[in-house]
Amino acid sequence: MALLQIFEPGETPDPHQRRLAIGIDLGTSNSLVAVSRSGVPEALPDVQGRRLLPSVVQYRADGAPVVGHEAQQAMLADSRNVISSVKRLMGRGLADAIAQGLPLSLVAAGADAAQPAIRHADGTVEQPLQRGWPAQGAPASHAAGDAPVTRTSADGSSTGNDRAVAVATVAGAVSPVEVSAEILKVLRDRALATLDIDEDALAGAVITVPAYFDDAQRQATKDAARLAGLNVLRLINEPTAAAVSYGLDEGEQGTYAIYDLGGGTFDVSVLKLTRGVFEVQSTAGDVALGGDDFDALIATDFAREHNLGEPARLAAEHPERWRALLLMARQAREALTDADTVTMRFDTDAGQGAIQVAGQDGHDVSGGSAGNSSEKNGGATLVSTLTRTRFEELVQPLVARTLKIADTAVADAGLSAQAIDGVVLVGGATRMPVIRQAVASHFGKPPYTGLDPDQVVALGAAMQAAQLIGQRRDGEDDWLLLDVTPLSLGLETMGGMVEKIIPRNSPIPLARAQDFTTYKDGQSAMAIHVVQGERELVKDCRSLARFELRGIPPMVAGAARIRVTFQVDADGLLSVSATEQSTGVAASVTVKPSYGLEDTEIERLLKESITSAREDMQWRALREHQIEAAQLREMTQNALAEDGGLLDAAERQQIDDAMASLQKVLEEAQTLDGSPEEATLLAVRDRLLDARMNLQKVTEHFAALRMDQAIQRALAGKTIDGLTS
């Protein structure tokens, strides 16, 4: 129910004086700002009528940064100081950022911009190089565990060895948050100017993020908005925003898949639309898969055809040339949306590329006229013809990758592709015919393309923003968004096992609590390790944060009750608290890791959770036996230290031998690592069980003796009459 604002006669504010809220799509390639007035959303243009703002920022030695179209035009002339695709770096540590393969000088945050040191994933250090796309044309990813793990202390400070990333420019090292803030400032100012309102009349903004952005990436986006002077009303997932725009515009009901392929990220969300309720059933995605990767494949193919070198080396030694190739490739990809053939021309000396479509004027990437670079500069002009058929062959692995992710989202919703009522395409990259054809074939129905894929996300965000401040069109009913968290969240327990607190695809916001206890007598502190993933063991999941709960009153093992609470807010950000119930002693942490999930890590986590389910359960069973056996051995040791005098030499030796045998098997189980044969796991588990049962058997008489002694001590000095009175 909306609240009415009541004014005295003659004091009703003019329309331009009313508070408004905006929606912002902070994209990898382009960004937009939109507003919903009287229930009608619209993307806001600049003074020249352009609605798309290139997500490009140029830094200068003196003067303010240049953002948008002007910065984009300077990408070749001032390559080292022009930053694009910064969204791929949000919330990432240095090692992860380098693996993205962007043609940027990446440095550790805080390093001297004049002589910055670049640390690679393998630990080597070098002077700054322009990092380019890897040889295969798609972002590389290192094996899980190669990147240094960053942990977060209870006060939120970073304790790990993977530093945050920055980009070296002539104006100094700038963080991805700062770069994104410059883009957001321009969008904010555009909204203020177009709407003719002052800052006080701008209630805030809803900003969209990829559904598979993790905590660090979401927090970085929020920080950028605050740095830009924006009040963040909510972060909303991009596919969800698109579904809102589509659902409210078309009045559709049913189950829909939102296929969102942008410049640098890819998401698929399955939503159920029912009378104003937008309920996310599942989500899947890749935060490093988008139009940039399609461009890189074209550029890689061109470079190899003309023996220009492998992309990684080319980008390091000739960064301006590689960036020009990427820009030419993007032009070619976009032209092939309508054309069947594109001719690409590249001047090697001038570092200028151009494309030519039959019957059309040429497009020079550097701003000149197509095909004239060799005449003006005397360099060799390399020419290639790219057909749509050849392009589709090049990008087929990427297309297949998107469909595989889509299958994961659909399966997680408990559906089949054929059970989906409709597919909505979102993101500029979905204009490619190869994508539209593949999606139509995969789902057995043509996708919906009636809404502008570049604007639909921003429009949905604007609708959400208007609703959050109590504005809606006349006669419009209330509507509700129910989003989900993409991966399971849990804690490490004894034996390196994971106790899942929040399963993946749980609706947010939510809070869940679970009680835990101590492992040892007199334990006064508990280390709490928060992890993310679908596997049963901590070693196979991603570490998010660690903190400690201190001040637990000394008690026997198992007596303390520690309640751990997980809270995920509407923005998808996680906080964890722990409280000892009897004393109220508490500790908490807001999870802000400095790294982001790697390119293929989420897909790996989900796939391994299925393929390794049997192995995981066997490992979990083994670890549980280990814990029980270790507890029994420790209890026996404590009992022997206290009452060992009750035993004769033979009995004591029998117990000592049983304890030694149990310890030997415990050590054997502890050394198991990797992926041993199933038979090996089962054999160790059985030996551990036998050793534990043997120790229990040989200590039965000892337990009886201790019980008798305890009764005798309790009855000492007592009479029968005294006991019965």
Side-chain angles (χ1 to χ4, degrees):
M1 180 179 296
L3 296 178
L4 297 177
Q5 296 186 32
I6 302 176
F7 301 92
E8 294 293 332
E11 296 184 2
T12 304
D14 294 330
H16 70 279
Q17 295 176 313
R18 296 174 184 168
R19 286 170 61 83
L20 295 170
I22 56 177
I24 292 178
D25 177 10
L26 183 61
T28 305
S29 302
N30 297 289
S31 298
L32 297 94
V33 59
V35 69
S36 181
R37 291 179 286 187
S38 299
V40 181
E42 61 174 324
L44 301 178
D46 63 9
V47 293
Q48 299 183 43
R50 301 171 299 192
R51 288 176 168 78
L52 293 181
L53 175 73
S55 301
V56 184
V57 181
Q58 179 190 18
Y59 286 88
R60 299 174 174 177
D62 52 359
V66 178
V67 180
H69 297 277
E70 185 178 348
Q72 190 178 50
Q73 293 172 0
M75 289 181 70
L76 298 184
D78 192 20
S79 178
R80 294 180 182 272
N81 298 303
V82 177
I83 301 173
S84 60
S85 299
V86 72
K87 189 173 179 178
R88 286 188 175 235
L89 305 181
M90 294 289 280
R92 294 182 178 271
L94 181 59
D96 285 343
I98 289 174
Q100 293 299 302
L102 298 178
L104 300 170
S105 294
L106 301 180
V107 304
D112 184 359
Q115 294 291 331
I118 298 179
R119 193 181 69 206
H120 298 270
D122 61 4
T124 60
V125 178
E126 67 176 8
Q127 295 303 311
L129 295 175
Q130 301 287 326
R131 307 295 301 174
W133 294 95
Q136 70 272 29
S141 62
H142 37 264
D146 289 351
V149 176
T150 299
R151 296 167 180 164
T152 306
S153 63
D155 63 0
S157 60
S158 175
T159 61
N161 59 356
D162 188 17
R163 299 179 64 181
V165 68
V167 183
T169 72
V170 68
V174 293
S175 69
V177 169
E178 293 173 296
V179 178
S180 298
E182 296 295 340
I183 299 170
L184 291 171
K185 286 178 186 176
V186 172
L187 295 174
R188 179 204 62 186
D189 292 344
R190 177 187 294 186
L192 295 176
T194 305
L195 300 173
D196 190 23
I197 59 175
D198 56 29
E199 293 186 12
D200 292 337
L202 184 60
V206 169
I207 300 177
T208 64
V209 294
Y212 252 52
F213 256 21
D214 69 358
D215 264 58
Q217 294 164 309
R218 291 171 185 271
Q219 189 62 56
T221 304
K222 220 169 177 178
D223 291 343
R226 285 195 287 264
L227 188 59
L230 288 167
N231 173 38
V232 180
L233 299 173
R234 183 176 178 181
L235 298 180
I236 182 175
N237 291 337
E238 290 165 0
T240 307
V244 167
S245 182
Y246 170 74
L248 294 182
D249 183 71
E250 298 297 314
E252 296 288 347
Q253 296 189 56
T255 302
Y256 291 82
I258 311 300
Y259 179 104
D260 184 359
L261 182 63
T265 62
F266 173 69
D267 292 295
V268 176
S269 290
V270 177
L271 292 94
K272 186 177 181 180
L273 281 57
T274 309
R275 297 184 178 181
V277 177
F278 299 82
E279 183 179 1
V280 180
Q281 304 289 299
S282 63
T283 187
D286 191 331
V287 296
L289 171 61
D292 289 351
D293 303 278
F294 288 75
D295 301 337
L297 289 176
I298 298 174
T300 297
D301 188 62
F302 187 96
R304 289 173 176 171
E305 179 184 351
H306 296 287
N307 298 315
L308 296 178
E310 290 300 310
R313 183 177 182 86
L314 184 63
E317 297 177 356
H318 304 283
E320 291 83 3
R321 177 181 295 180
W322 179 240
R323 175 165 269 181
L325 284 171
L326 289 174
L327 291 174
M328 182 180 69
R330 177 177 295 182
Q331 294 275 2
R333 170 172 64 86
E334 292 174 348
L336 287 173
T337 298
D338 300 310
D340 293 326
T341 304
V342 170
T343 300
M344 297 180 290
R345 293 183 172 87
F346 190 79
D347 189 318
T348 56
D349 290 345
Q352 297 176 352
I355 66 164
Q356 178 72 50
V357 180
Q360 300 180 16
D361 294 333
H363 302 280
D364 190 339
V365 177
S366 63
S369 59
N372 294 329
S373 57
S374 63
E375 296 178 12
K376 292 189 288 186
N377 298 284
T381 300
L382 307 176
V383 182
S384 289
T385 297
L386 180 64
T387 65
R388 183 183 290 181
T389 301
R390 172 58 181 164
F391 169 71
E392 291 177 356
E393 291 175 354
L394 285 174
V395 302
Q396 187 55 43
L398 295 183
V399 177
R401 197 165 140 197
T402 70
L403 297 177
K404 187 177 180 180
I405 293 171
D407 284 340
T408 298
V410 172
D412 287 345
L415 301 170
S416 65
Q418 290 69 35
I420 299 295
D421 295 317
V423 183
V424 181
L425 297 185
V426 181
T430 61
R431 287 191 172 92
M432 292 184 286
V434 64
I435 293 295
R436 298 191 172 188
Q437 293 164 6
V439 171
S441 176
H442 193 73
F443 285 91
K445 54 181 66 67
Y448 182 80
T449 59
L451 297 175
D452 187 334
D454 287 322
Q455 298 187 23
V456 63
V457 170
L459 297 177
M463 293 177 179
Q464 170 74 125
Q467 190 203 40
L468 290 177
I469 63 172
Q471 296 181 352
R472 60 177 55 82
R473 75 182 82 181
D474 293 340
E476 181 184 48
D477 295 328
D478 290 331
W479 49 275
L480 176 67
L481 292 183
L482 298 174
D483 224 324
V484 298
T485 182
L487 287 174
S488 299
L489 298 164
L491 293 179
E492 178 181 0
T493 59
M494 293 301 300
M497 294 184 293
V498 177
E499 182 69 21
K500 294 181 177 121
I501 309 299
I502 297 178
R504 66 188 176 100
N505 288 325
S506 296
I508 60 174
L510 83 162
R512 290 187 182 175
Q514 190 164 322
D515 289 347
F516 296 85
T517 190
T518 50
Y519 178 69
K520 292 185 176 182
D521 293 343
Q523 185 176 336
S524 61
M526 177 179 288
I528 298 176
H529 183 196
V530 184
V531 298
Q532 184 179 42
E534 307 308 315
R535 302 289 296 277
E536 295 293 330
L537 300 183
V538 169
K539 66 182 182 68
D540 300 314
C541 294
R542 190 62 181 260
S543 174
L544 290 184
R546 295 176 186 260
F547 67 105
E548 292 183 350
L549 176 65
R550 296 188 174 275
I552 302 173
M555 307 179 192
V556 297
R561 201 176 82 187
I562 292 88
R563 178 158 296 176
V564 181
T565 302
F566 279 52
Q567 291 182 305
V568 182
D569 63 19
D571 298 329
L573 299 175
L574 171 67
S575 60
V576 182
S577 62
T579 305
E580 201 286 309
Q581 296 295 286
S582 65
T583 62
V585 173
S588 64
V589 63
T590 298
V591 180
K592 295 181 182 180
S594 67
Y595 54 79
L597 296 177
E598 299 171 19
D599 303 345
T600 60
E601 188 164 2
I602 292 176
E603 181 181 352
R604 177 185 64 81
L605 291 173
L606 294 175
K607 182 177 18 177
E608 290 182 356
S609 71
I610 299 172
T611 59
S612 305
R614 182 181 177 88
E615 180 187 344
D616 286 352
M617 294 308 297
Q618 291 169 347
W619 270 110
R620 187 177 187 94
L622 177 62
R623 296 306 188 208
E624 288 174 346
H625 283 302
Q626 282 180 262
I627 294 170
E628 293 173 0
Q631 285 180 318
L632 176 62
R633 188 179 183 281
E634 184 175 355
M635 291 169 59
T636 304
Q637 283 181 321
N638 293 338
L640 288 172
E642 184 176 346
D643 298 315
L646 297 173
L647 299 170
D648 58 34
E651 290 173 325
R652 178 61 184 260
Q653 186 61 51
Q654 189 179 28
I655 293 175
D656 287 342
D657 291 344
M659 289 179 61
S661 297
L662 179 59
Q663 180 62 26
K664 183 179 179 179
V665 184
L666 280 171
E667 291 174 354
E668 181 185 1
Q670 196 61 40
T671 60
L672 288 177
D673 200 2
S675 300
E677 295 292 332
E678 180 178 349
T680 302
L681 278 175
L682 294 176
V684 174
R685 186 196 67 186
D686 291 343
R687 286 198 293 274
L688 189 61
L689 180 61
D690 290 343
R692 180 164 65 88
M693 296 301 293
N694 181 53
L695 181 57
Q696 285 180 326
K697 183 178 180 180
V698 301
T699 56
E700 287 177 355
H701 182 242
F702 181 38
L705 292 175
R706 296 189 74 207
M707 179 65 72
D708 291 343
Q709 178 178 263
I711 293 173
Q712 289 174 6
R713 289 173 178 172
L715 296 179
K718 306 287 187 180
T719 65
I720 297 295
D721 291 338
L723 293 173
T724 58
S725 62

